[in-house]
Amino acid sequence: MSPLSAYLLVAALLFSIGLAGALSRRSAIVVLIGIELMLNAANLNFIAFWRYGSNPMALTGVMFALFSIAVAAAEAAVGLSIILAVYRHSRTTDLDQMNSMKG
Amino acid sequence: MTISFLILALIAVAGTGAAMALRNLVHCVLALTVGLVGLAALFLQLGAQFVGFTQILVYIGAVAILAVFAIMMTRSAEQTAHHVLSANWLAGALVAAAVFALLGWAIYYGSPTPRSIPPQPEASVNQIGIALMHRFVLPLEIVGLLLTAALIGAAVLAMDDTTVRESRISEGVVRESKETR
């Protein structure tokens, strides 16, 4: 197995772990953490393809990973504040109990 | 595939897996930081020093702390101690397993024949800074604008709206009392 496929396999495993957490946990905060994990797995793919790609001097993979980290940080801030706003309204972070859009 | 890669991948996968499996949410975030340290070490091993240290600064320094704050402010550490899995957790686990099977199949059969491993490319902070200021200056500005808008929006969303309403009401009362005088 080439080193590139080993890194890709680790990234696929991280993505699947994040997806399983995001789909099967009840707490909204853990679901957000799972989404962050999926973004991180994509970052690992960017860096691995940059390292073993054909033109690493262009720095495209590194730049893509940096911008992806910045967007993920913005997403985490907005997501957690939405969770806080919902908690203030309905007094729960349980996703199975958040079943109404209004009221 | 070296021993160090195996150890780091094991740390990353075990940490994130524990973050998704533990019951106590504070333990979840602690396990998440361990997994993210492993992932940052993988970045460092791949030769992307700046991305690795940015990962440590942003994720462990900011996102994990933010998640801990959200857990404490919503008091969800003691609430959801009994039922951590949602009602349709089996479907979620099946979907995740299917996605991993598909990705693993694609990686195993779709990867090209291993040619000679290219030499370690250089990505010093100097080069990254020059690239950010020349070729990627427009995306950099757009990301700056996005971060500003997102953080202001997050602050507005997280602001307690009852205090805002009360301050508006008190301002109105002050204004009315001035008008009656």
Side-chain angles (χ1 to χ4, degrees), chain A residues 1-40:
Chain A
M1 185 186 272
S2 67
L4 175 62
S5 358
Y7 280 104
L8 293 186
L9 207 59
V10 170
L13 198 53
L14 286 178
F15 186 89
S16 307
I17 289 172
L19 186 64
L23 288 180
S24 63
R25 288 291 294 248
R26 288 181 82 165
S27 166
I29 298 169
V30 181
V31 170
L32 203 66
I33 289 174
I35 293 169
E36 294 289 327
L37 278 184
M38 289 154 73
L39 282 164
N40 264 310

Side-chain angles (χ1 to χ4, degrees), chain A residues 7 16 24-26 40 72 88, chain B residues 20 22 45 83-84 86 158:
Chain A
Y7 280 104
S16 307
S24 63
R25 288 291 294 248
R26 288 181 82 165
N40 264 310
R88 205 179 298 127
Chain B
M20 290 296 113
L22 286 174
Q45 200 196 20
H83 301 92
V84 291
S86 90

Side-chain angles (χ1 to χ4, degrees), chain B residues 30-91:
Chain B
L30 284 177
L32 176 81
T33 54
V34 173
L36 290 178
V37 166
L39 202 59
L42 279 179
F43 288 165
L44 292 181
Q45 200 196 20
L46 278 168
Q49 281 95 4
F50 189 66
V51 180
F53 290 126
T54 309
Q55 167 94 359
I56 290 177
L57 276 178
V58 171
Y59 274 98
I60 297 156
V63 173
I65 302 295
L66 213 59
V68 169
F69 268 113
I71 288 168
M72 288 194 292
M73 289 174 83
T74 56
R75 291 197 194 89
S76 46
E78 66 253 31
Q79 272 183 356
T80 55
H82 300 292
H83 301 92
V84 291
L85 293 175
S86 90
N88 47 6
W89 64 274
L90 196 60

Side-chain angles (χ1 to χ4, degrees), chain A residues 1 5 8-10 12-13 16, chain B residues 96-112:
Chain A
M1 185 186 272
S5 358
L8 293 186
L9 207 59
V10 170
L13 198 53
S16 307
Chain B
V99 166
F100 178 68
L102 183 68
L103 286 175
W105 175 79
I107 291 166
Y108 188 74
Y109 288 104
S111 61

